[in-house]
Amino acid sequence: ELFGHEKGAFTGAIETVLDTAVRDFASGEQLTYLKASPTGSELCQISRGEEKRLLAAGLPVYSSAQIIPHDDKLAFVLLDGTLFAAANNKAASVAGDLSAAHWEPALQSLVLTRGREIWLYEPAGQSSTLIYKGTQNLGRVVYNAPTNNLFATEGRNIVAVEVDKVEKPNIYILTETQTANVKFTLNAEGNRLYYLDGSNLTSLQIR
């Protein structure tokens, strides 16, 4: 059984589920999912021992989707580059033309990537702040709390951007790569960067 329901009851209903939501579901927390409706799409949520809750109806039909759970009353969903906030059976458009979005707990904000720009969106105040505008479209964007920096690929550069909503942030070009928008990761302390440049795995001390 699945949360006290037969597995077959969910067949065909769950169309898109975020990986982290699947893990939470398995550990007994909650599942947030999209399903088709006669008027478009619906975002729903279910928790152990509870009935399904409708977070928002009237979402558009989509070809690509990413669900970003927030809490038991609010969730975000990125549909074909448009970010919606879903709560109280309604969906409100937050931002468009996005290439990526993710929730960053340490900042209590969504990190949004739009072409050459990085924005922070705070759900509590429903406010957006432009943190960085580069010269080329950005690839992956990662936040590191110990350094309070956002790290991103910008063409053949890997850059670090200080998160400062008041003053002009410090911006550092950490290295230039042979290929554009390489895959990279950081250690927890944020002082060592690892990136895959073609077939070469490189480690870079950055602090």
Side-chain angles (χ1 to χ4, degrees):
E1 288 192 355
L2 200 60
F3 285 179
H5 297 272
E6 293 296 327
K7 292 181 181 179
F10 289 88
T11 302
I14 300 174
E15 294 191 350
T16 304
V17 182
L18 190 66
D19 288 343
T20 52
V22 173
R23 289 195 293 271
D24 289 344
F25 182 70
S27 65
E29 295 302 321
Q30 62 184 209
L31 176 70
T32 306
Y33 62 95
L34 280 162
K35 74 170 193 175
S37 73
T39 58
S41 306
E42 295 178 348
L43 189 66
C44 303
Q45 198 173 73
I46 190 169
S47 301
R48 179 179 293 276
E50 297 182 6
E51 296 295 325
K52 179 190 76 174
R53 297 189 302 277
L54 177 65
L55 292 178
L59 288 163
V61 176
Y62 56 87
S63 58
S64 66
Q66 176 192 350
I67 299 170
I68 308 170
H70 182 60
D71 56 32
D72 60 355
K73 296 180 180 179
L74 174 67
F76 295 92
V77 59
L78 184 64
L79 301 179
D80 296 331
T82 299
L83 182 70
F84 295 89
N88 300 320
N89 299 345
K90 298 179 182 179
S93 177
V94 174
D97 298 323
L98 300 179
S99 52
H102 71 270
W103 174 250
E104 182 49 62
L107 296 172
Q108 286 297 291
S109 298
L110 285 160
V111 179
L112 311 179
T113 307
R114 177 191 285 136
R116 300 179 294 150
E117 302 171 345
I118 301 174
W119 291 77
L120 294 184
Y121 175 77
E122 296 183 48
Q126 297 184 3
S127 61
S128 298
T129 304
L130 177 63
I131 299 298
Y132 178 64
K133 186 172 185 177
T135 60
Q136 301 181 62
N137 284 347
L138 302 169
R140 188 183 184 208
V141 177
V142 175
Y143 177 71
N144 177 259
T147 61
N148 193 36
N149 280 329
L150 287 160
F151 295 82
T153 54
E154 184 179 348
R156 291 172 55 194
N157 290 329
I158 301 178
V159 299
V161 182
E162 180 187 17
V163 177
D164 190 331
K165 300 178 184 178
V166 179
E167 303 291 336
K168 185 176 180 180
N170 293 316
I171 300 167
Y172 310 93
I173 297 177
L174 302 178
T175 189
E176 184 176 348
T177 59
Q178 295 298 312
T179 54
N181 293 326
V182 298
K183 295 180 179 180
F184 73 93
T185 190
L186 294 132
N187 64 352
E189 294 76 18
N191 58 15
R192 186 166 288 276
L193 176 76
Y194 304 89
Y195 62 93
L196 186 63
D197 195 356
S199 59
N200 299 317
L201 180 62
T202 302
S203 172
L204 179 67
Q205 189 77 28
I206 56 178
R207 287 175 66 87

